[in-house]
Amino acid sequence: MSEIKCIVLYESIYNNNTLKVAKAISHTLGCRLIKASEAMEEDLTKYETIGLGSGIYFGNLHPSIINIAKNFDNSPQRVFIFSTRGNPIHGKYHGQLKEILNTKGKRIVGEISFKGYDGTGPFLIFGGGNIGRPNERDLSQSISFIRKALPEYCIKDYYKLLDNRLPVIDGSTNKYYYKDGKNLFLLRGDIVSINQNLCTGCGRCKTVCPMGVIELIDKKAIPDKELDCTLCNLCCINCKERAITLHYNWRDTINVAKRHKNRKSL
Ligand SMILES: Cc1cc2nc3c(=O)[nH]c(=O)nc-3n(C[C@H](O)[C@H](O)[C@H](O)COP(=O)(O)O)c2cc1C
């Protein structure tokens, strides 16, 4: 498996609204995230896919995002676009960027825009618009967006590459690591995965987990008893690095109920 050839560039000058989306996306991809204004020195030709995102300021993406695109060469890279905005309607805010990308021969693999808190101008009268946005729902939508647009990079898909993955047994201490370039992922069963590169070992996830699923081993969080996980999401919400991903579909949510049906205590 080759090194992850994907990078996300962002600009988020107002309220870090777009940074939240950028983190959710880049952590799902397990790729680097850097400010566009600091990316001028980067050799972007080595990436096959580039994410570009910012807030919308005066009807357009941030000038450093536009400049990055203007400086692209004509190699056939893939690009995805994301933004946050105050206006309820997205309109043509990505228009100029898309035009530039087209002239540079880039393939746009997807674009998405979310509402973001806006306390500027007339919004002030109401104490600001889009309070609390982007919210958790927006962030999980951004994760779904990127999983769909670029499934080959996403952590969930690494599972498919693991031929010898063993079934998860209650209380099992088996651990499955997957190394992709510089990124080391801990894969454990199908429920909780923790990106070991992003984990700082702060232990917050272990503290907040009501079920004692997570252990700290060698200063890294490990989902040690993931079959006890109730999918409450507290670990994800409290992980500042957004290193934790819960994988589940509707069937798994029912399985949680089944597993805990006869439980008498914590
Ligand atoms: C200087 C400025 C100009 C803005 N212009 C627009 C605009 O033209 N259209 C819009 O929908 N939102 C506009 N907004 C709202 C921002 O797009 C919104 O708050 C966004 O989420 C900010 O992202 P950030 O926190 O990542 O910088 C503007 C905000 C600022 C601070």
Side-chain angles (χ1 to χ4, degrees), residues 47-108:
Y47 297 101
E48 51 185 39
T49 308
I50 299 172
L52 296 175
S54 78
I56 298 296
Y57 316 105
F58 308 114
N60 206 344
L61 289 145
H62 191 273
S64 57
I65 294 286
I66 301 291
N67 279 339
I68 290 268
K70 281 184 179 162
N71 287 325
F72 276 154
D73 65 4
N74 291 330
S75 58
Q77 290 162 306
R78 301 185 299 177
V79 177
F80 63 90
I81 306 168
F82 59 96
S83 66
T84 64
R85 61 182 201 278
N87 196 327
I89 298 158
H90 174 209
K92 293 190 174 157
Y93 288 147
H94 298 170
Q96 191 198 0
L97 177 61
K98 286 195 323 192
E99 258 175 47
I100 298 168
L101 293 172
N102 285 334
T103 61
K104 299 279 181 178
K106 308 295 175 203
R107 186 155 73 83
I108 299 167

Side-chain angles (χ1 to χ4, degrees), residues 10-20 54-60 83-90 93 114-120 123 129-130 133-134:
Y10 78 99
E11 209 61 66
S12 187
I13 58 165
Y14 173 46
N15 198 44
N16 282 344
N17 294 338
T18 319
L19 178 58
K20 289 179 193 157
S54 78
I56 298 296
Y57 316 105
F58 308 114
N60 206 344
S83 66
T84 64
R85 61 182 201 278
N87 196 327
I89 298 158
H90 174 209
Y93 288 147
F114 296 99
K115 288 183 186 169
Y117 170 75
D118 187 2
T120 64
F123 283 115
N130 306 330
R133 303 289 294 273

